[in-house]
Amino acid sequence: MLHAHSVFHDELSLRRRCVRCVTVITGEPQAMDVMSASVLQARRVRRLRRQCRAVLAAGAFAVSAAPVPANELADLSLEQLLDESVTSVSRREQRLTDVATAVTVLGADELQRLGATSLGDALRTVPGMNVAAVSASQWAISARGFNNLYANKLLVQIDGRAVYTPLFAGVFWDQQQPMLADVERIEVIRGPGATIWGANAVNGVISVVGRDARDTQGALVYGAGGDVDRGGGGRYGGRLGADTWYRVFSSVRRTDDYALAGGRAARDGWDAWHGGWRIDDHSILDTQLTWQADATVVNFDAGTSDGYNVNTLARWTRHLPQRSGFDLQLWYDRTDRYNAARARSMSDTVDLSFTHRLGLGERNDLVWGLGYRAAANHLGQTVPEITVTDGEFGLQLFSAFVQNEFRPVPERWTVTAGVKLEHNDFTGFEVQPSVRAAFKPRERETWWAAVSRAVRTPSALEGRDMMAVVVAPPFTGPGGGSYVPTLRGNPDLRAEVLWAYELGYRVQAGTSASVDVATFYNDYADVVDFGGIERLEAGASGEPGTAELRWVNAIDARTWGGEIAAVWRPAAAWRLTTGYALLVAQVSAESGAAPVTVNRQSPRQQANLGASYGIGRRAGCDAQLRYVGELRAVPAFTTADLRLWHRPHEQVELSVTGRNLLDARHPEQAQARFAITSEVPRSVQGKVVWRF
């Protein structure tokens, strides 16, 4: 796990730092890939010089396109590795040590160490994140509570493109299959990010950042096989001109059936194909043009259901003097999903956004932006339990935000205040402000605090009367008649509101240890859930009648707790990590409403312990031990993963990964309606990676 003081760089991060330092030292601005040397502050220049010299002295920087091996990165000191930057917190580059929020960064090196095969696997060790496999293909992922298959309070984006379905405002995780070898980092914000990213960035933000095409030159081929998961893929990067780079990629994956509680096959096996391209142009100084597109095709639930996603994104980034610049981004996404147990859905989404960064003197950095999103949606009926009554609808979202970072005492105090204004089709205008402050008594020590207001607007399922869903078996009502409980949308819903209060502390203790602590108190109002029965409608000709329920703003909740993460380097070859998260929830509901959304759907306690050991330059092992507390109808469990790797040649790596090694199988989520819920099995997978 990588947090604010345990970031281990991949080759791209090292290369960027060395290029910046060389630019400063030699005075050749044409070599700089991110910002002009003239705008770097003196302290940052000195630090980057030291980092560059240390990296060059350690032999970790190479001109070749092959990634730096994980064991070579482990040889770098914590001080050299702790200056990673993030962009998700304020839409501009910031050092992790300076941000006033709880954030974890998973770099390319960490993804390799984890042996992750999917985004869900990669997120398991992030403190405060509850990651649970519902079945072989579907996940329940959220931060700081409110987790289930239909979790809707976590914003997820891949290279700046929001990935969610307007149907329930959640994520189809099996249709998000980026090639992890081409991911530069995954930034995970725990806590509200609504002032920058808007509605649904309530409990957290996950931002997957892909590598620039010029940093993935040459070829990479991999193949993996095991008793549960198999797959393979490849990528090739080349040039279209002196300053224009591209890559093309493709991968396949197949996962066998998991088992039900009794041991019978769940028939939830799935397979997926993913492919696409990316082009990055740097021919104009301090300017980057990016165009990328990819497609994913999935077959799941043993071939009874399927879906696809196609998308394309174009972005123009311009860096200007005095810490200024702008981004103009346009993307299109089509998500089509046929679920034999639920419904058929298709969404076409277009999103246009503009972000402007302004350095106002030495003490102020202003960021503002505008956005527009339009989605056309279609629903089709596949099962009698879900009746589609209005299958064609469109949605629009308008937004604007402004945020200012003020440094009353440079290098010591930073105060950040901002607000986002949005207009949606369900609740109209919504305002989402935040105030954050960071105090650094020393260079490697930070105290921070934040107060934020965030909202979750109703999803189409909740806020439109577009389908009637049978949610329980028939019951006997007045007069002895039989009635079927049926849930319908409610156009009169209000947005859910969160007031979040956060306090955190980070410190690097010497050159071998670091600690990151974050605490929070969240006050939720108007959380949407099932209401009571509003009316009974008798059936015709002896058929069961209908007991109509509506989505209502039925629940208030308070959650509090915190996360702690630490890294210790007892020796050059060793790295030990640990994390712990506590979540306490208190729920109150209106009469007739059951608080199923909050209560016991996320574990009260989670903990993990990781260890990595490198045997010279050619071999090593990585181990993870995880504990997850009990959920509603799911007992607590402890499990372990182990990865052994060997590099017989500079360009070839062999690895064997064992997952969930402490038991034959275990459940991670309670039964979800209209979905297969199975148990996660023990598995072993071998993998070969060849770079050339």
Side-chain angles (χ1 to χ4, degrees), residues 249-537:
F249 53 88
S250 179
S251 64
V252 294
R253 180 182 177 185
R254 176 166 180 80
T255 300
D256 291 339
D257 291 342
Y258 285 5
L260 299 174
R264 183 168 53 89
R267 293 190 53 78
D268 58 351
W270 72 294
D271 59 79
W273 172 86
H274 176 68
W277 75 83
R278 173 166 172 158
I279 299 173
D280 289 286
D281 179 84
H282 297 268
S283 58
I284 303 174
L285 180 64
D286 294 328
T287 300
Q288 179 174 350
L289 300 174
T290 299
W291 180 34
Q292 62 188 59
D294 62 83
T296 304
V297 179
V298 298
N299 294 281
F300 57 99
D301 292 351
T304 62
S305 304
D306 57 64
Y308 70 86
N309 171 263
V310 293
N311 65 83
T312 184
L313 178 147
R315 181 169 54 246
W316 175 24
T317 300
R318 175 71 170 168
H319 298 283
L320 301 172
Q322 301 301 319
R323 306 184 309 279
S324 299
F326 63 83
D327 298 315
L328 181 62
Q329 179 176 277
L330 173 67
W331 56 263
Y332 164 77
D333 179 285
R334 166 172 281 194
T335 297
D336 186 292
R337 192 172 182 88
Y338 172 83
N339 191 315
R342 284 181 248 173
R344 168 75 179 268
S345 64
M346 184 173 68
S347 298
D348 291 284
T349 305
V350 176
D351 185 282
L352 176 64
S353 63
F354 174 78
T355 303
H356 189 196
R357 300 173 295 278
L358 286 168
L360 304 177
E362 296 183 356
R363 300 193 178 194
N364 284 276
D365 284 288
L366 182 73
V367 182
W368 68 275
L370 302 171
Y372 171 72
R373 182 177 302 168
N377 306 278
H378 170 77
L379 288 175
Q381 186 168 332
T382 62
V383 292
E385 292 84 2
I386 300 178
T387 303
V388 176
T389 57
D390 181 12
E392 303 282 346
F393 61 95
L395 298 172
Q396 294 188 91
L397 178 69
F398 301 86
S399 65
F401 79 93
V402 61
Q403 179 170 282
N404 184 67
E405 180 182 295
F406 174 57
R407 294 175 289 278
V409 182
E411 313 303 332
R412 287 291 181 264
W413 279 101
T414 302
V415 179
T416 304
V419 63
K420 181 147 193 168
L421 178 66
E422 288 187 322
H423 184 277
N424 66 84
D425 292 341
F426 299 106
T427 63
F429 285 100
E430 298 291 348
V431 180
Q432 300 174 91
S434 71
V435 178
R436 300 179 179 273
F439 172 60
K440 301 184 67 174
R442 296 182 299 163
E443 171 64 19
R444 294 296 180 179
E445 183 179 2
T446 305
W447 290 88
W448 62 269
V451 179
S452 309
R453 183 184 190 269
V455 303
R456 186 190 74 84
T457 55
S459 66
L461 176 66
E462 298 161 335
R464 291 182 61 90
D465 190 7
M466 64 181 191
M467 61 171 55
V469 181
V470 175
V471 295
F475 67 92
T476 302
S482 179
Y483 296 89
V484 179
T486 304
L487 180 66
R488 304 182 71 99
N490 181 3
D492 296 325
L493 284 177
R494 301 181 300 277
E496 299 178 354
V497 177
L498 164 66
W499 278 100
Y501 308 88
E502 302 174 271
L503 179 66
Y505 175 70
R506 305 184 183 99
V507 64
Q508 177 188 337
T511 60
S512 62
S514 63
V515 178
D516 188 344
V517 180
T519 61
F520 65 91
Y521 178 85
N522 288 346
D523 190 353
Y524 300 87
D526 291 334
V527 176
V528 176
D529 210 323
F530 295 6
I533 295 174
E534 293 190 355
R535 67 188 184 92
L536 298 175
E537 182 177 337

Side-chain angles (χ1 to χ4, degrees), residues 28-49:
E28 297 178 1
Q30 67 272 17
M32 183 165 291
D33 69 327
V34 176
M35 63 179 68
S36 171
S38 63
V39 304
L40 288 172
Q41 299 175 358
R43 181 180 60 82
R44 186 164 175 79
V45 172
R46 290 194 297 272
R47 184 177 68 252
L48 291 175
R49 280 176 175 164

